[in-house]
Amino acid sequence: MEKIESFLSIVENYKAVFLDSYGVLKNFRGLIEGVQETLDFIQDRGIEFRILTNDASRSQEQQSESFTRLGLQGIPPEKIVTSGMMAKQYLQLKIKGGKVAYLGTANAAHYIMQANLESVAIADLDKHDLDDIKAMVFLDDEGFDWNYDINKTVNLIRKKNMPIIVANSDNLYPVAKNDVSIATGAIAKLVESIINKKFIHFGKPDTQMFNFAFDDLNSNGRAFNKEEILMVGDTLHTDILGGNKFGVKTVLVLSGNTTPGEVEMNIRSSGIIPDYICESIVG
Ligand SMILES: [Mg+2]
């Protein structure tokens, strides 16, 4: 573990970089100042990049548009890998026909539609007619009634034995300097603990997203090996643990979930050790 002053002096030694989105490129205020220069630096040097995000509420296209809206240029949809895409891939492979129930916004349900399956919001589910329901997905923390629909979810899962998918494993996300909001992963864990079942979790720290991004890098004619890739994130138990498990070097930035005051204690108590620690990806 090494504290570094300049992110650019580290990233220039790699052929590819995986960047987390929230807490690295942007935060609750918007774009982190100076990230455009870092992205330009990366691209000017021919370093490949992919954005690896546990956001399953929006498509690659919508996430790309949101970067553009915030003022960050140069992130096309194909450079973005979302945990929702991993859930979609799973649905495509494992669920043949029928309907998929979901918790989340109608917008997030496009991942189910892309898998050529019919989606039904938990709120619209007829609890007396569950024959066609072949899977259930936790997609987003918004778009439903937390009391009514979570209760309905618990009862659905008690009645139906089927794959339950968690498309975003995050527990929390920051909404202000000192405040967080409960994310989808935490809602899924609540339901898991109530009914004592284990669901299928997608997103960092699981390696599917890393594998996907790695295969994608290697599909364009260039050959990358893991020593040439750097993973950058603001969260120890998703970004850094995931990068460490995948076998790439990791940079923890202090511009998001992990603050300068907490970093030492968080590393010691979690046992998750980044290779480098840096204030942010700027400079
Ligand atoms: Mg983050």
Side-chain angles (χ1 to χ4, degrees), residues 20 22-23 234-235 239:
D20 174 39
Y22 207 84
D234 67 316
T235 307
D239 307 312

Side-chain angles (χ1 to χ4, degrees), residues 132-143:
D132 279 352
I133 307 297
K134 302 298 180 199
M136 141 98 216
V137 192
F138 289 83
L139 280 172
D140 196 10
D141 57 290
E142 291 177 14

Side-chain angles (χ1 to χ4, degrees), residues 195-248:
I195 55 177
N196 203 22
K197 280 187 182 178
K198 281 272 166 262
F199 305 157
I200 305 159
H201 291 254
F202 289 96
K204 298 166 287 185
D206 285 340
T207 40
Q208 299 109 333
M209 275 168 74
F210 291 88
N211 279 321
F212 186 96
F214 186 67
D215 290 346
D216 191 41
L217 282 179
N218 281 306
S219 69
N220 296 327
R222 285 175 76 185
F224 294 82
N225 59 52
K226 289 184 182 179
E227 295 94 80
E228 297 166 328
I229 301 172
L230 189 64
M231 170 69 204
V232 186
D234 67 316
T235 307
L236 283 168
H237 64 264
T238 55
D239 307 312
I240 305 305
L241 178 59
N244 287 351
K245 282 203 293 187
F246 187 62
V248 295

